[in-house]
């Protein structure tokens, strides 16, 4: 989110996120716990898929929570995939990490129907049409009763909503910087990089968040039931749907 002239995610973005994610993601640990809580207990040997695994913290949490399942972690960054493997090294036998391009469709046919597909802070890089196509493809790919769970930034439709999200995100990063390091160096870096999307929502070409209402509608249109938002704070939401 640092260079408004970069239109696609690259390894500079990956390194920046790996360096700063622990500060910049609001309630990161709670988000991971909620995502795992939203997954119904899978059958032994079930497949769980993470789209854009990043540092691998969510994949590791799923491997720990569902000890009889295996996880397919997908990412477009070689650096992120290597970090995912390192983070999940204690469960290497149940992890497959593979490269993909989120916007492409060739990866959306899995060797077996996944029980759950999860994604954190990735789908907002797709535009609205691409999101609708993704949701429909994932609904087709999931096993009956399977779930899609998305944690992402969402764009408030009003100026007042953008201002509230911006203020809450600043407050969250400031609090995490103090809690982790005891100083505000990470918060200063957050501001230097211009990471708070809601302060300049049209300034970064790689960020294309849609509203929460739009995405809940698109999930329902894709055939998901029990479509709901489980958590919302600082312009970040966790929402999901179940395949009948």
């Amino acid at each position: 989110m640092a260079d408004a002239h970069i239109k696609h995610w690259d390894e500079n973005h990956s390194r920046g996120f790996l360096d700063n994610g622990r500060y910049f993601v609001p309630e990161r640990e709670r988000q991971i716990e909620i995502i795992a809580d939203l997954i119904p207990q899978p059958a032994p040997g079930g497949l769980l898929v993470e789209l854009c695994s990043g540092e691998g913290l969510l994949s590791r949490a799923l491997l720990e929570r569902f000890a009889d399942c295996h996880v397919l972690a997908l990412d477009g960054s070689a650096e992120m995939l290597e970090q995912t493997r390192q983070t999940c090294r204690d469960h290497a036998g149940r992890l497959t990490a593979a490269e993909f391009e989120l916007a492409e469709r060739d990866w959306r046919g899995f060797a077996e129907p996944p029980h759950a597909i999860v994604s954190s802070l990735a789908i907002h890089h797709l535009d609205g049409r691409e999101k609708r196509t993704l949701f429909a493809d994932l609904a087709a790919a999931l096993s009956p009763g399977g779930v899609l769970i998305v944690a992402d930034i969402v764009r408030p439709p009003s100026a007042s909503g953008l201002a509230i999200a911006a203020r809450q995100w600043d407050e969250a990063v400031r609090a995490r910087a103090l809690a982790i390091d005891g100083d505000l160096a990470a918060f200063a870096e957050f501001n230097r990089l211009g990471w708070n999307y809601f302060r300049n929502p049209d300034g970064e070409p790689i960020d294309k968040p849609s509203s929460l209402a739009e995405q809940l509608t698109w999930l329902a249109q894709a055939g998901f039931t029990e479509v709901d938002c489980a958590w919302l704070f600082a312009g970040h939401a966790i929402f999901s749907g179940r395949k009948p």
Side-chain angles (χ1 to χ4, degrees), residues 138-162:
L138 298 183
L142 281 163
S143 62
V147 292
L148 171 63
I149 305 165
V150 178
D152 212 346
I153 62 172
V154 294
R155 179 164 179 158
S158 68
S160 57
L162 285 166

Side-chain angles (χ1 to χ4, degrees), residues 194-218:
W195 202 279
N196 192 331
Y197 164 84
F198 304 106
R199 296 219 173 277
N200 185 22
D202 299 310
E204 174 55 84
I206 69 170
D207 293 330
K208 307 167 190 175
S210 302
S211 74
L212 176 60
E214 286 175 318
Q215 294 182 86
L216 296 178
T217 296
W218 297 337

Side-chain angles (χ1 to χ4, degrees), residues 18-219:
L18 290 173
D19 289 343
N20 298 305
R22 64 187 179 277
Y23 305 106
F24 293 0
V25 181
E27 299 187 13
R28 192 183 204 186
E29 300 78 15
R30 187 180 184 195
Q31 288 197 55
I32 291 171
E33 182 179 7
I34 290 171
I35 293 168
D37 286 346
L38 287 170
I39 298 175
Q41 183 63 41
L47 172 63
L48 312 176
V49 178
E50 181 177 7
L51 310 182
C52 300
S53 60
E55 193 172 343
L57 297 176
L58 177 54
S59 283
R60 182 176 66 188
L62 299 183
L63 288 163
E64 291 174 348
R65 174 76 71 95
F66 304 107
D68 293 328
C69 290
H70 56 286
V71 169
L72 171 61
L74 301 173
D75 205 288
S77 161
E79 188 166 4
M80 291 291 204
L81 287 172
E82 179 56 32
Q83 185 59 56
T84 292
R85 294 185 186 98
Q86 289 299 316
T87 300
C88 300
R89 60 187 177 274
D90 291 343
H91 312 282
R94 293 188 291 118
L95 174 76
T96 301
E99 189 169 349
F100 87 142
E101 290 295 334
L102 179 62
E104 301 297 327
R105 302 182 71 184
D106 56 351
W107 57 269
R108 300 178 189 179
F110 300 96
E112 62 180 282
H115 174 74
I117 301 173
V118 303
S119 182
S120 177
L121 294 174
I123 292 175
H124 70 276
H125 295 306
L126 303 180
D127 64 25
R129 177 186 59 81
E130 291 171 324
K131 291 185 185 80
R132 290 194 296 272
T133 299
L134 176 67
F135 293 163
D137 288 346
L138 298 183
L142 281 163
S143 62
V147 292
L148 171 63
I149 305 165
V150 178
D152 212 346
I153 62 172
V154 294
R155 179 164 179 158
S158 68
S160 57
L162 285 166
I164 291 168
R167 184 175 67 250
Q168 289 181 335
W169 201 355
D170 280 348
E171 291 169 353
V173 176
R174 191 179 190 279
R176 287 184 72 85
L178 288 172
I180 294 170
D181 292 337
D183 60 47
L184 293 176
F187 181 60
E189 183 70 357
F190 178 73
N191 288 321
R192 185 187 73 79
L193 293 172
W195 202 279
N196 192 331
Y197 164 84
F198 304 106
R199 296 219 173 277
N200 185 22
D202 299 310
E204 174 55 84
I206 69 170
D207 293 330
K208 307 167 190 175
S210 302
S211 74
L212 176 60
E214 286 175 318
Q215 294 182 86
L216 296 178
T217 296
W218 297 337
L219 286 178

